Amino acid sequence: MKKQESSRQNLTPPAEPEGILLRDAFPILTRKVYGKPLVYLDNGATTQKPHCVIDAITEEYLNVNANVHRGVHYLSQEATRLYEEARETVRAFINARSTSEVIFTRGTTESINLVAATFGEAFMHEGDEVIVTEMEHHSNIVPWQLLQARKGIVLKVCPITDDGLLDLDALPKLFSPRTRLLACTHVSNVLGTVNPVREIIQMAHAHDVPVLIDAAQSVPHMPVDVQALDCDFLAFSGHKVYGPTGIGVLYGKEQWLDKMPPYMGGGEMIGKVSFERTTFNVLPYKFEAGTPDYVAARGLAVALDFVRFIGMDRIAAFEHELGTYAYEQLMQIEGMHIYGPGPSPVISFNLAAHGDGSSFIHHLDLGTLLDRLGIAVRTGHHCAEPLMHRLGIEGTVRASLALYNTKDDIDALVKGINRVRQMF
Ligand code: PMP
């Protein structure tokens, strides 16, 4: 494993999760857009990649590349070992009991679709119910609607309060003897709300209802321990946690995964194949048909090592502090309207177009003008149209922070918004 060691030597996170050293780990942050320094505040959509992740990907293609699990030859065995080591890194990172419970997917979306399709196939019938919340991303709504169309299940929606919190008084009333699953986001990608998922899981389990957690926006920002949460399924994406695109994870309790049918058919997920009868592989391979993105899996493992080395608690504390600074600075802008329960590393807002606050500057205009100043923010419905309906708006501008952001980034955003304000 000489090659792997050489790559890991590049994994030298800085002593402090703030400042120039850490930014240095992310080469893209030095680039300019429109001749201006890049201020990257679209981390909820995807994060930038540190050198160690880029190096690991390059090194795997340079030195190791071979298909996994298939070959007797040296490279294939080395690639397989790295792939399975990556699975172990993920297991340890989320504290799963076993690597059998860690399935590599393309991302959160595929992970949730996998559960909807296969858990739905095994355990749901017409009239059975799935509970979701009003603050879900489309990827935790539409897979259930597809199941609704296929099987006639019923979707029940837990509302949010005017403060952008889950309505925990309404939630208990949604359970019925027909409830088969509760699927809920850990952190809202729009409001920044951190849902009390431990309590929600306890409540659901008291009704014998398993829970799927969409952890796309939590795994990159806080410690997540699947055993402590006692969730039944948990999904996240590599690209939002400084890893490559095209790789994600589905964690599932073995007791459920064992009983669920395969998602896709093909190579690797089988035991024996004949035209008469095919048997399936053991976990987790039963759910990994075809050639997996083993290079991205390794990149993800290096990314998780990177954040683990810095410390998820430190990252959470740092981002909370920076989010609080951003919140306070943004709130001082005249006409500013921030959505959600309060300071968080995800800040969605609109800006009044007139002094009387009767209408907002269109979020797309605001985002486009900020872009010309070198500031990358997200605009639109953020794949959460039902939440936009609830808020009575079409979209927002969203600034979302990561561990390499600084107060200077926030100051640039505030200055940019003030400039746009003057133009209107
Ligand atoms: N859930 C949440 C809360 C998200 O923020 C996102 C990405 N914006 C997703 C799911 C989907 O993630 P991906 O596109 O990586 O599958």
Side-chain angles (χ1 to χ4, degrees):
M1 275 325 312
K2 192 158 164 289
K3 299 302 178 200
Q4 191 198 14
E5 279 162 14
S6 74
S7 154
R8 292 197 172 216
Q9 277 162 14
N10 293 334
L11 187 72
T12 44
E16 289 300 319
E18 183 176 16
I20 211 74
L21 260 180
L22 190 56
R23 287 180 73 79
D24 269 359
F26 293 84
I28 206 170
L29 297 180
T30 59
R31 82 161 282 189
K32 294 193 165 167
V33 292
Y34 309 109
K36 304 192 171 62
L38 171 68
V39 177
Y40 188 76
L41 295 170
D42 193 19
N43 298 287
T46 201
T47 50
Q48 301 302 346
K49 318 306 171 198
H51 268 298
C52 56
V53 169
I54 298 166
D55 289 351
I57 294 166
T58 307
E59 201 219 42
E60 178 122 357
Y61 280 126
L62 281 176
N63 291 308
V64 186
N65 184 50
N67 207 334
V68 292
H69 296 142
R70 310 255 168 100
V72 291
H73 62 80
Y74 190 92
L75 288 190
S76 177
Q77 293 196 13
E78 190 164 313
T80 303
R81 183 147 47 88
L82 288 169
Y83 184 57
E84 292 307 326
E85 279 177 15
R87 197 189 305 278
E88 166 56 23
T89 301
V90 173
R91 184 209 65 73
F93 191 80
I94 59 172
N95 193 30
R97 279 167 214 83
S98 147
T99 48
S100 303
E101 299 182 322
V102 175
I103 298 159
F104 282 120
T105 63
R106 285 191 302 123
T108 308
T109 302
E110 187 173 277
S111 298
I112 298 174
N113 274 277
L114 190 160
V115 176
T118 69
F119 185 92
E121 178 64 31
F123 297 108
M124 292 193 206
H125 304 282
E126 191 175 347
D128 283 345
E129 296 164 3
V130 173
I131 300 174
V132 295
T133 83
E134 214 171 11
M135 66 168 84
E136 297 308 314
H137 188 279
H138 294 164
S139 61
N140 199 23
I141 298 173
V142 184
W144 307 110
Q145 290 177 327
L146 295 175
L147 189 64
Q148 187 169 42
R150 269 204 316 278
K151 285 208 141 182
I153 65 149
V154 178
L155 211 52
K156 287 191 157 178
V157 183
C158 178
I160 61 166
T161 66
D162 291 340
D163 298 332
L165 299 168
L166 263 193
D167 188 342
L168 293 177
D169 293 331
L171 185 57
K173 298 174 195 136
L174 296 177
F175 289 95
S176 87
R178 300 299 302 268
T179 312
R180 294 288 168 264
L181 189 87
L182 186 152
C184 163
T185 194
H186 194 171
V187 175
S188 163
N189 66 315
V190 177
L191 305 170
T193 312
V194 182
N195 288 321
V197 285
R198 178 76 197 107
E199 287 73 13
I200 291 169
I201 290 164
Q202 278 174 338
M203 188 193 294
H205 284 177
H207 290 87
D208 279 332
V209 171
V211 178
L212 178 148
I213 300 296
D214 173 350
Q217 298 291 347
S218 60
V219 161
H221 303 290
M222 60 183 66
V224 172
D225 178 327
V226 292
Q227 289 192 66
L229 288 177
D230 199 23
C231 53
D232 299 270
F233 301 99
L234 182 132
F236 71 94
S237 300
H239 69 98
K240 292 185 199 282
V241 58
Y242 312 100
T245 50
I247 189 83
V249 171
L250 172 67
Y251 158 81
K253 280 184 183 167
E254 213 164 327
Q255 73 192 70
W256 291 118
L257 295 177
D258 259 339
K259 298 189 188 88
M260 286 152 55
Y263 184 41
M264 292 193 289
E268 196 50 39
M269 51 74 70
I270 48 89
K272 286 248 172 278
V273 179
S274 73
F275 284 114
E276 289 71 40
R277 183 167 174 269
T278 291
T279 60
F280 304 123
N281 207 342
V282 295
L283 292 174
Y285 311 108
K286 182 172 86 172
F287 291 107
E288 291 184 1
T291 301
D293 196 340
Y294 48 88
V295 178
R298 184 177 176 201
L300 172 60
V302 172
L304 295 182
D305 277 346
F306 179 82
V307 289
R308 188 179 51 81
F309 199 92
I310 296 167
M312 290 311 298
D313 281 320
R314 286 169 79 198
I315 291 172
F318 166 72
E319 289 181 351
H320 183 74
E321 194 189 317
L322 195 60
T324 304
Y325 177 75
Y327 191 86
E328 286 166 1
Q329 298 303 306
L330 288 168
M331 281 302 269
Q332 287 177 27
I333 298 174
E334 206 187 314
M336 174 59 65
H337 187 100
I338 299 183
Y339 303 91
S344 129
V346 178
I347 307 178
S348 282
F349 58 89
N350 274 310
L351 192 63
H354 306 289
D356 62 2
S358 60
S359 67
F360 293 129
I361 297 172
H362 197 277
H363 48 87
L364 196 57
D365 292 337
L366 183 50
T368 306
L369 291 165
L370 287 172
D371 172 57
R372 294 303 138 102
L373 300 170
I375 302 164
V377 290
R378 201 74 175 172
T379 62
H381 53 57
H382 314 294
C383 297
E385 285 196 61
L387 177 57
M388 295 297 125
H389 295 157
R390 167 66 173 87
L391 299 172
I393 52 177
E394 280 182 15
T396 75
V397 176
R398 181 188 71 187
S400 50
L401 309 179
L403 52 77
Y404 40 66
N405 286 122
T406 62
K407 287 188 174 170
D408 285 349
D409 292 339
I410 307 304
D411 294 344
L413 173 68
V414 171
K415 206 168 144 199
I417 295 171
N418 275 322
R419 266 184 76 175
V420 175
R421 246 192 73 232
Q422 280 158 16
M423 291 163 65
F424 276 79

